[in-house]
Amino acid sequence: ALTVVVAVIYSFANNWWALIPALVLSGACNRLVLPYVDAVFINHSKPRQRSMVMSMSRVLWAIPGIFTSITAASVVTYFGGLNDIGIRPLYFIQLAMSIVVAASVVLWLPSSLETSTRNSAKDVVKGEGFVSDFRDVFKGERWLTRWIIIMIIRELDMRLSMPFTPLWMVYVKQTDAYTLGILGTASTLVQIMLQIPAGRLADRVGRKRAFYVFRPFAYLGTLLMILAPGPEYLILVGFL
């Protein structure tokens, strides 16, 4: 339901400050829903197969992205280019699709799913409060605490530049809508081709070693985006 509200705000906003609630709600939607979706996959997979199962789910989600990036570029170009008039139709499309998704969840999916979860951390006790729940989860889970700290630093690293990346590509590198669309398609294709092999590799050699192998590509992509002499080179950023 919140994604529908976000699409409505983007579709009808007439100034920048009206988009602030949509940005807040959009972040909340993604952060609230994705952990539950991932939990379903984790609960129904064996420990030695979890990386591969998660990778397979990402592949299935990414398949529509092969077409959506180029389609979005065509829509933007048709309606006037990279400006508010050209981009706004995308949010009307998003609004319609969000309504379809919300209706599908209500009508087609059961209200609850039974899962056979085996918790690695201590179960939280009802009625002890929010802070107590967190204390119970992290009690004795030293590696979990360290990993969360690393992920917080990683998120700060990514979020510092992410809001300005499209602006950089358009205004500094003179990228057009089709180049942005091709960049998105390239990123999606690489994700589809490498997700499952990467998941199998992580299951075989360990998640930490797989992290060491793949993380440098993100830094190479950032470096290339800064040094690229023209917009056509930014397509390589999508692959990285």
Side-chain angles (χ1 to χ4, degrees):
L2 289 178
T3 60
V4 175
V5 175
V6 170
V8 169
I9 295 175
Y10 272 112
S11 298
F12 297 100
N14 291 319
N15 46 63
W16 68 267
W17 53 264
L19 298 177
I20 295 177
L23 292 170
V24 175
L25 288 176
S26 178
C29 292
N30 293 331
R31 297 299 178 182
L32 289 173
V33 172
L34 287 179
Y36 302 134
V37 176
D38 289 341
V40 173
F41 286 103
I42 292 173
N43 289 341
H44 289 282
S45 60
K46 298 177 181 179
R48 65 178 181 274
Q49 297 175 333
R50 284 175 179 170
S51 293
M52 190 272 291
V53 170
M54 294 295 295
S55 299
M56 185 179 298
S57 71
R58 296 298 192 272
V59 169
L60 295 175
W61 296 345
I63 288 175
I66 298 175
F67 312 101
T68 54
S69 296
I70 296 299
T71 302
S74 301
V75 171
V76 170
T77 302
Y78 179 81
F79 284 98
L82 292 171
N83 51 59
D84 59 336
I85 298 176
I87 296 174
R88 193 181 297 271
L90 295 180
Y91 297 112
F92 287 109
I93 297 173
Q94 180 185 358
L95 174 58
M97 297 182 69
S98 298
I99 293 174
V100 170
V101 170
S104 299
V105 171
V106 172
L107 297 175
W108 291 349
L109 297 183
S111 58
S112 62
L113 293 174
E114 294 183 0
T115 59
S116 56
T117 308
R118 294 182 179 179
N119 296 318
S120 59
K122 180 182 177 182
D123 288 340
V124 298
V125 180
K126 292 183 178 181
E128 291 191 1
F130 179 78
V131 176
S132 178
D133 289 348
F134 270 96
R135 185 180 65 248
D136 288 338
V137 169
F138 290 107
K139 189 176 182 180
E141 298 288 338
R142 180 179 59 176
W143 304 115
L144 176 62
T145 304
R146 291 182 180 181
W147 184 248
I148 288 178
I149 293 174
I150 293 172
M151 288 298 99
I152 290 174
I153 297 174
R154 176 175 174 267
E155 282 292 311
L156 289 173
D157 172 25
M158 294 174 60
R159 300 292 170 178
L160 281 173
S161 60
M162 186 177 294
F164 306 100
T165 299
L167 297 176
W168 171 273
M169 292 183 176
V170 173
Y171 293 107
V172 178
K173 299 300 181 179
Q174 305 301 313
T175 305
D176 58 17
Y178 278 110
T179 303
L180 290 177
I182 294 173
L183 191 151
T185 300
S187 177
T188 302
L189 287 173
V190 171
Q191 181 178 352
I192 291 174
M193 291 186 294
L194 298 184
Q195 274 285 354
I196 293 179
R200 287 185 176 274
L201 178 66
D203 285 331
R204 181 173 299 180
V205 304
R207 279 73 165 177
K208 185 176 180 179
R209 291 176 181 173
F211 186 86
Y212 288 152
V213 171
F214 296 117
R215 185 58 183 167
F217 288 99
Y219 297 113
L220 288 175
T222 301
L223 183 62
L224 178 60
M225 186 173 63
I226 296 173
L227 301 178
E232 63 276 4
Y233 293 91
L234 294 178
I235 298 175
L236 294 176
V237 175
F239 286 107
L240 291 173

